[in-house]
Amino acid sequence: MSETHALASYIVNSRPEDIPADVWHEAKRALVNYVGCAVGGCREPAVDIALRALSPYAGPASAVVLGRPERLDPLYASLMNGISAHVHDYDDTTPKNYGHLTAPTASALFAYASVHPVTGRDFMHAFVLGFEASSRVANAVYPAHYDVGWHMTGTAGVFGAAAAIGKLIGLNAPQMVWALGLAATQAAGLREMFGSMGKPFHPGRSAQNGYTAALLAQAGFSAGIHGIEGPRGFAAVLAAASDLSKITERLGEDFDLRANTYKPFPCG
């Protein structure tokens, strides 16, 4: 079974009771940290500018932007949440791959849940799966991918948002393969943006794009079925070297959330 199919199958078939207690605990910590970062950053100029520039083009104002009175459609709310969460650069990170992978996944999930009823348990389960998917993809291409100038938070983060939203909306295995493929073809984010508003744009855009990938897959919009491991897929094109075994190794047994790290900051 290919890496894309194995990851998709795991996400679709995972049950909340399959997640160990310590991973649930780390997921809660990550989300509390995320909300602190997002609310702490929601009034920064980058968010103000993005709202002013893009709100006129958003769809029906149904979704909450964390910490703000404005409402947007869920896709644009995902974008704004992601910018807010990363604008101060205090959000949690994974030492295995230097990705800030909570921000893209949680930004999409909070936008979704502000519009659609979802239980806390299902929300948390989707978050764990999204974080795991994005971190495993990142692990497979680190360090070559990062060293050449790609920003993991944007490039790998899109897989987390696609997986998490796909889980909540009930994608089947073929649809999840498509969602991951559509995520792969939207993977972007350059380290050259560090120090500018372009950096927090990365998790915002990956949240928005991953959410979009899941919706398209649900509607029957197909994608290449080897989006991660194919000869012209994510790993081959965006990394000079990769280890695809890191995507499937102990899948469902070991979780990168256990190694997640946090930066001290006042609002957290």
Side-chain angles (χ1 to χ4, degrees):
M1 184 182 293
S2 73
E3 286 77 13
T4 302
H5 285 75
L7 188 58
S9 178
Y10 167 69
I11 295 163
V12 168
N13 293 320
S14 176
R15 302 168 300 171
E17 54 266 31
D18 297 330
I19 308 301
D22 64 322
V23 177
W24 283 116
H25 176 70
E26 290 303 323
K28 293 173 185 176
R29 292 184 68 206
L31 289 174
V32 169
N33 183 80
Y34 165 82
V35 171
C37 289
V39 172
C42 71
R43 297 287 179 176
E44 286 296 305
V47 184
D48 290 335
I49 293 169
L51 280 166
R52 186 167 64 247
L54 299 177
S55 291
Y57 304 98
S62 58
V64 171
V65 178
L66 288 172
R68 304 277 308 207
E70 295 92 344
R71 286 179 178 257
L72 301 171
D73 66 70
L75 295 179
Y76 270 115
S78 299
L79 171 64
M80 302 305 164
N81 288 342
I83 295 173
S84 297
H86 195 57
V87 70
H88 287 156
D89 215 344
Y90 284 134
D91 46 324
D92 53 339
T93 188
T94 49
K96 289 183 181 180
N97 52 54
Y98 283 106
H100 298 262
L101 301 176
T102 291
T105 302
S107 294
L109 284 173
F110 273 99
Y112 176 91
S114 71
V115 177
H116 306 282
V118 57
T119 67
R121 188 171 177 82
D122 287 344
F123 183 101
M124 295 286 292
H125 187 211
F127 170 71
V128 170
L129 297 177
F131 188 103
E132 190 66 21
S134 57
S135 191
R136 283 177 173 267
V137 171
N139 292 341
V141 296
Y142 182 83
H145 177 75
Y146 186 81
D147 287 346
V148 78
W150 293 107
H151 184 204
M152 289 289 192
T153 308
T155 56
V158 68
F159 293 97
I165 297 298
K167 182 65 174 180
L168 279 185
I169 64 178
L171 297 188
N172 60 31
Q175 290 171 329
M176 189 65 77
V177 167
W178 291 343
L180 294 175
L182 292 169
T185 204
Q186 296 180 91
L190 302 175
R191 290 173 62 196
E192 190 63 30
M193 298 300 107
F194 286 15
S196 76
M197 293 179 185
K199 188 173 191 281
F201 181 67
H202 295 162
R205 197 62 158 173
S206 56
Q208 183 183 34
N209 287 346
Y211 197 143
T212 300
L215 294 179
L216 287 170
Q218 183 187 44
F221 196 99
S222 67
I225 61 173
H226 300 289
I228 298 172
E229 75 285 341
R232 293 173 296 277
F234 173 84
V237 173
L238 298 188
S242 62
D243 182 359
L244 293 171
S245 70
K246 292 182 179 179
I247 295 175
T248 56
E249 185 179 23
R250 299 190 66 204
L251 186 60
E253 299 175 24
D254 194 16
F255 293 83
D256 274 12
L257 267 168
R258 289 175 170 142
N260 201 21
T261 58
Y262 303 90
K263 302 176 182 180
F265 61 97
C267 64

